[in-house]
Amino acid sequence: RDRMFDVTITPLEDSRGAILAFNDVTALEEAGEMRSEFVANVSHELRTPLTAISGFIETLRGPAREDAAARDHFLEIMESEARRMHRLVDDLLSLAKVEDTERMRPTEKQDIADLVRHAADNLSGLAAERDVSLTLEGCDAPALAPADPDQITQVFTNLIENAIKYGGKDGKVTVTLTRVERDPRLRGPGLIIAVSDTGEGIDERHLGRLTERFYRVDDHRSRGMGGTGLGLAIVKHILNRHRGRLRIESTPGQGSRFSVALPTG
Ligand code: ADP
């Protein structure tokens, strides 16, 4: 893109010339544009469920007033739209909080294996509902790394939940924890925690953009599953704070693998 400059002109006192100062404001302009785009996206995401809820209130006041079955049906939809708004607001708050703390490195060591087990336990109901088998490997012995326990639990909750949601019915989700002495991504010792699924996979052209806010491969599918489009953006920010890395690999038709590298030192 073209660079943008703020120009100030200061005439010389002897009026024989002037000084022109060019200040490169491209980055500032870009940050401003990104912020406006984000606000526009959030407004759009909130307006959709709000419009639905307002519409159903009108219907309940009017045509559906005396029809008990219709009333129950509309109330159910309103409830699910309200839940969607709730999730969105929760995710926005998480994102803001993570961005706020991004410069503060966690210092206290936590048992990452325990946090992974915790995240998986909380999702065992969803896995059972969708006939997905959820297996943990290497999570029996403690694996210590400096971490914010709530945030790291959220990372694995988001990744495992995605693997279950997009992994296809009757799929297999495997979470594998390995300890490494050296990893090129970490420049030192660390933990690699990989979440693999046997789902439809992701086309290569999307891989680089998945951690962008509100980026979805299939908009309709994500919304149908109750997704906010913010899960992987939150994961990325949390890992930045931990000096961790996320690698996404996928073979369309076979499945995906989201692997997290966390430094232990
Ligand atoms: P969402 O709330 O839509 O799930 P995320 O930020 O968690 O938002 O994920 C962004 C998009 O990445 C999803 O909409 C989906 O298209 C894709 N995605 C994430 N995880 C997987 C996966 N395991 N398999 C296939 N696609 C996935």
Side-chain angles (χ1 to χ4, degrees), residues 162 165-166 197 202 210 215-217 222 227-229 231-232 258:
N162 278 351
K165 282 192 317 192
Y166 303 108
D197 65 59
I202 306 156
L210 291 185
Y215 190 86
R216 295 154 160 129
V217 173
S222 159
T228 61
L232 291 177
F258 288 70

Side-chain angles (χ1 to χ4, degrees), residues 146-208:
D148 176 314
D150 289 343
Q151 289 187 344
I152 290 298
T153 306
Q154 183 162 22
V155 164
F156 294 109
T157 302
N158 290 2
L159 294 180
I160 298 170
E161 189 175 345
N162 278 351
I164 297 171
K165 282 192 317 192
Y166 303 108
K169 239 178 154 16
D170 305 323
K172 270 200 194 113
V173 174
T174 316
V175 187
T176 314
L177 187 153
T178 37
R179 297 152 181 80
V180 290
E181 278 314 312
R182 284 193 66 76
D183 184 89
R185 290 192 278 171
L186 301 173
R187 294 198 218 102
L191 305 173
I192 309 289
I193 307 102
V195 180
S196 312
D197 65 59
T198 53
E200 76 226 49
I202 306 156
D203 198 272
E204 202 184 329
R205 71 198 148 98
H206 298 292
L207 292 183

Side-chain angles (χ1 to χ4, degrees), residues 61-75:
R61 281 223 177 96
R65 208 183 175 109
E66 313 297 338
D67 183 342
R71 211 166 50 216
D72 285 349
H73 178 58
F74 293 146
L75 282 171

Side-chain angles (χ1 to χ4, degrees), residues 29-206:
E29 286 286 330
E30 275 172 1
E33 277 167 27
M34 271 172 67
R35 196 164 327 129
S36 320
E37 193 188 321
F38 179 62
V39 172
N41 277 332
V42 171
S43 311
H44 174 77
E45 297 285 336
L46 282 170
R47 189 183 292 138
T48 311
L50 264 178
T51 306
I53 291 171
S54 312
F56 285 119
I57 290 173
E58 284 310 304
T59 318
L60 285 172
R61 281 223 177 96
R65 208 183 175 109
E66 313 297 338
D67 183 342
R71 211 166 50 216
D72 285 349
H73 178 58
F74 293 146
L75 282 171
E76 237 166 67
I77 301 175
M78 288 166 74
E79 200 178 10
S80 111
E81 293 298 326
R83 268 202 301 269
R84 170 188 300 286
M85 291 176 68
H86 223 118
R87 271 194 304 272
L88 181 61
V89 172
D90 283 347
D91 277 358
L92 285 169
L93 284 173
S94 300
L95 201 57
K97 209 166 144 197
V98 183
E99 278 185 334
D100 254 10
T101 56
E102 204 159 322
R103 279 167 216 285
M104 294 187 274
R105 297 256 175 270
T107 47
E108 218 167 295
K109 291 211 171 183
Q110 307 289 338
D111 180 3
I112 306 298
D114 188 47
L115 301 178
V116 172
R117 275 200 309 270
H118 195 77
D121 278 350
N122 282 338
L123 289 163
S124 56
L126 181 69
E129 229 171 75
R130 299 186 49 81
D131 289 321
V132 169
S133 76
L134 177 55
T135 317
L136 301 188
E137 289 167 4
C139 294
D140 299 324
L144 298 183
D148 176 314
D150 289 343
Q151 289 187 344
I152 290 298
T153 306
Q154 183 162 22
V155 164
F156 294 109
T157 302
N158 290 2
L159 294 180
I160 298 170
E161 189 175 345
N162 278 351
I164 297 171
K165 282 192 317 192
Y166 303 108
K169 239 178 154 16
D170 305 323
K172 270 200 194 113
V173 174
T174 316
V175 187
T176 314
L177 187 153
T178 37
R179 297 152 181 80
V180 290
E181 278 314 312
R182 284 193 66 76
D183 184 89
R185 290 192 278 171
L186 301 173
R187 294 198 218 102
L191 305 173
I192 309 289
I193 307 102
V195 180
S196 312
D197 65 59
T198 53
E200 76 226 49
I202 306 156
D203 198 272
E204 202 184 329
R205 71 198 148 98
H206 298 292

